[in-house]
Amino acid sequence: MEYLILMMLALSYTSQYCTSSSLCPSTYDLGQTGAGAFQFPVFHEKHPCIQASVHIANVQKTWYSFEDDRIHKDRFLMAIGLGTPAFVNLVTIDTGSTLSWVQCRPCPIRCHNQDEEAGRIFDPLQSSTYQSVGCSTEDCGYVHETLGIPFGCNEEQDSCLYSLRYASEEYTAGSLVKDKLTLGNNFSIDDFMFGCSGDDRYNAADAGIIGFGGATYSFFRQVVRHTNYTAFSHCFPGNHRNGGFLSIGPYDRYSLQFIPLVEYGSHGDNPVYAIQQLDMMVDGIRLEVDPSIYATRMTILDSGTIDTFILSPVFRAFDKTITAAMLAKGYARETAGRNKICFTSTSDSVNWRDMPTVEMKFVRSILKLPSENVFYRVSADKICSTFQPDVAGLTGVPILGNRATRSFRVVYDIQDSKFGFQAGAC
C-alpha cells in the first residue's frame, strides 16, 4: 500500500564504506555476498564520498553529537540503470509502495525538476530495448487490479496507463513499460516493468521511486527472483558520516531479534508489511492503555514514512508518560500543536545520554529505541518526539517510520514470514 512517498533514499556505490576521498569510487556498483545476496552500500547525501566538491581527505569517524539534524531532513539515493544504453538515475527506495517509476521524455503534462546529479531524464526513444505494455496483457490487468485502477489505456498506441496517488498528495501517472534494468556494472535484468511518468507532483529532485512492496511487479520482487532466498534488509545510517547498506536475498541471522511478519492489504495481491504491537513502555513504565487497543490494528512497516504513528489512545498515554519523565530531567514542555510532543532544555543544551528509554513490545521481541530514534533536534535547546497520533497521518493506521529504525539493521524475511532487527548496525 502506498502510504507515503519515501523521505529516505539510498545512494549505491562500490563496496567500501569510505571516509576519505582516496577510497571514494567514481562509478556506481553492486556487490554480491558469498551467500548470493545483492548488496548495495548506502550513504547519506552529506557523506564524504558524496561531497566530491569538498576537500575531505582528512575526514575522521567521530561519535555523532547531534549538533545538526540534517539526517532527518535530507535524503539517501540508490542508482539504477534503465534502457540500452543505460540511463543511470538516482531514485527513492520505498518499502511502503510497489510500482517503480521514473519520469520520462517527453513529459506531455507536468514533471518535477530533476537535478543533474540524479541523471538524465529517461528517453524511451534512445533505448533499443524499450517496449510498452499492451492494454490487453495480463501485466496491465494485474497492475490495474492491485492498484485499484478501473481502466487505463491509450488505444491508439496500445499502451497500458497507470496512475498512483500517495497519502502525501503527491502522485504520478503515465505508461506502463518494460526495459533492461542495470544494477552496477555487472548485473542486468531484461524486461523490467516500471512506470514511465508523464505527469507527476513530486516534492523531490531525484528521478522517481523504486518500490519494495509485495506485488510481483515491485522492484524487490523482480530482483529477488535472481537470488535463492526471498528477503531484503537495510540499515539506514543515523548520521551523515556513517555508511549503511541495502541487501536483497539471503542474510546473516547473527544478533537479530525476530517478530512475526504479516503481509496483508485491501487491494488483492498488493500487500503491506506489518507486525503486531502488544505494549509500550517509557523508562520501564507501561503506558496506561487497555492492551486490547493494540490488538485492533497491525503496525505497518514503511520506510517511506518519517515519523512513527501510533493509535490516538496510545499517543495520549505516551504523551502523558514521556512528558512526566522529561519534566523530571529538567525539560520544559513546548507548545507545538496537539500532534507534536516537543521540549526545551532549561540548561540551553540537550543531554542526549540522559533521556527516557522507550520500548515497543511486539510479539516475541521488544524494540528498545535509543534516544536519537525517539527524539530529533529542532534547535540547540529544543527537541521533538518522533511519535505522532494516527490522526496526523492515516486515521486508524499505526506506522513504524524510518526515524525509529535508523542505525538498525532491519530484515524483511518474506520467505519465513518474520521481521528482524539489530541495534547499532551502521
Side-chain angles (χ1 to χ4, degrees):
M1 178 179 285
E2 284 72 20
Y3 281 116
L4 185 66
I5 255 181
L6 183 66
M7 300 306 293
M8 251 194 109
L9 313 164
L11 184 57
S12 138
Y13 279 101
T14 49
S15 58
Q16 298 193 59
Y17 299 162
C18 51
T19 56
S20 75
S21 59
S22 62
L23 293 178
C24 291
S26 59
T27 58
Y28 305 111
D29 206 354
L30 166 70
Q32 195 161 13
T33 67
F38 298 123
Q39 183 150 318
F40 310 82
V42 171
F43 300 114
H44 185 260
E45 70 171 12
K46 300 297 184 182
H47 189 278
C49 285
I50 315 305
Q51 298 297 291
S53 62
V54 181
H55 180 68
I56 55 175
N58 297 317
V59 171
Q60 300 294 323
K61 283 188 175 180
T62 59
W63 178 76
Y64 189 45
S65 63
F66 298 94
E67 289 305 314
D68 65 71
D69 189 40
R70 289 176 291 182
I71 191 67
H72 296 293
K73 297 183 178 69
D74 295 332
R75 300 174 182 272
F76 295 80
L77 303 172
M78 178 177 177
I80 63 170
L82 292 171
T84 306
F87 285 70
V88 178
N89 281 164
L90 299 180
V91 287
T92 300
I93 297 172
D94 191 354
T95 65
S97 68
T98 51
L99 182 67
S100 303
W101 62 271
V102 297
Q103 61 179 348
C104 299
R105 294 188 186 279
C107 184
I109 302 177
R110 180 175 69 175
C111 287
H112 65 278
N113 292 325
Q114 182 169 314
D115 278 353
E116 181 179 350
E117 291 81 359
R120 294 182 299 151
I121 296 176
F122 180 69
D123 186 348
L125 295 180
Q126 300 299 316
S127 173
S128 63
T129 47
Y130 168 87
Q131 56 183 305
S132 63
V133 174
C135 299
S136 60
T137 61
E138 290 185 8
D139 287 332
C140 182
Y142 179 53
V143 171
H144 285 177
E145 177 186 358
T146 56
L147 294 182
I149 303 172
F151 179 76
C153 177
N154 183 328
E155 295 182 356
E156 182 178 345
Q157 299 179 4
D158 188 26
S159 177
C160 181
L161 304 180
Y162 77 91
S163 62
L164 181 60
R165 185 172 294 274
Y166 299 86
S168 60
E169 296 305 315
E170 294 168 300
Y171 71 85
T172 172
S175 300
L176 198 64
V177 302
K178 292 183 178 181
D179 211 329
K180 177 181 285 188
L181 169 71
T182 302
L183 300 175
N185 295 321
N186 54 3
F187 180 76
S188 64
I189 297 175
D190 292 330
D191 298 331
F192 174 75
M193 188 162 64
F194 63 98
C196 206
S197 181
D199 180 21
D200 72 47
R201 182 189 296 132
Y202 187 50
N203 301 323
D206 55 280
I209 288 177
I210 54 170
F212 274 69
T216 58
Y217 54 81
S218 75
F219 172 85
F220 161 63
R221 287 288 187 173
Q222 292 187 74
V223 173
V224 80
R225 297 170 194 159
H226 300 269
T227 75
N228 58 13
Y229 197 85
T230 309
F232 68 91
S233 57
H234 63 72
C235 189
F236 293 134
N239 66 71
H240 70 279
R241 294 185 183 276
N242 288 352
F245 61 85
L246 167 69
S247 179
I248 298 176
Y251 62 94
D252 183 0
R253 288 161 172 74
Y254 179 74
S255 296
L256 286 168
Q257 297 183 63
F258 287 104
I259 299 169
L261 179 69
V262 175
E263 293 183 79
Y264 79 104
S266 57
H267 297 302
D269 190 24
N270 187 20
V272 295
Y273 305 116
I275 53 180
Q276 182 64 66
Q277 186 175 358
L278 301 178
D279 211 343
M280 194 167 177
M281 289 79 71
V282 175
D283 276 347
I285 301 173
R286 290 185 62 253
L287 302 187
E288 296 178 4
V289 177
D290 183 342
S292 64
I293 291 176
Y294 295 103
T296 62
R297 296 288 189 273
M298 299 289 286
T299 296
I300 305 304
L301 300 165
D302 186 2
S303 64
T305 300
I306 300 176
D307 286 339
T308 291
F309 294 84
I310 52 182
L311 295 172
S312 293
V314 180
F315 177 81
R316 290 193 293 269
F318 175 75
D319 187 353
K320 177 182 176 181
T321 308
I322 198 76
T323 296
M326 291 295 284
L327 291 177
K329 293 179 180 294
Y331 292 85
R333 177 63 184 267
E334 179 84 6
T335 302
R338 62 179 183 173
N339 296 331
K340 296 293 290 183
I341 303 173
C342 299
F343 302 94
T344 53
S345 172
T346 55
S347 63
D348 296 327
S349 64
V350 175
N351 183 357
W352 287 93
R353 298 181 181 276
D354 184 30
M355 290 286 172
T357 60
V358 173
E359 297 171 296
M360 302 179 73
K361 183 178 180 181
F362 296 95
V363 175
R364 298 182 189 169
S365 294
I366 294 176
L367 179 62
K368 185 174 182 179
L369 300 177
S371 58
E372 61 267 27
N373 294 65
V374 178
F375 297 99
Y376 63 95
R377 182 183 294 280
V378 176
S379 61
D381 63 343
K382 181 179 177 179
I383 57 174
C384 290
S385 168
T386 61
F387 289 88
Q388 294 195 57
D390 60 323
V391 293
L394 294 175
T395 301
V397 181
I399 300 175
L400 187 67
N402 66 56
R403 275 178 173 157
T405 58
R406 291 176 188 177
S407 296
F408 280 80
R409 174 166 67 117
V410 295
V411 174
Y412 294 71
D413 187 333
I414 312 304
Q415 187 160 321
D416 204 18
S417 300
K418 57 188 179 183
F419 176 75
F421 59 91
Q422 173 193 2
C426 66

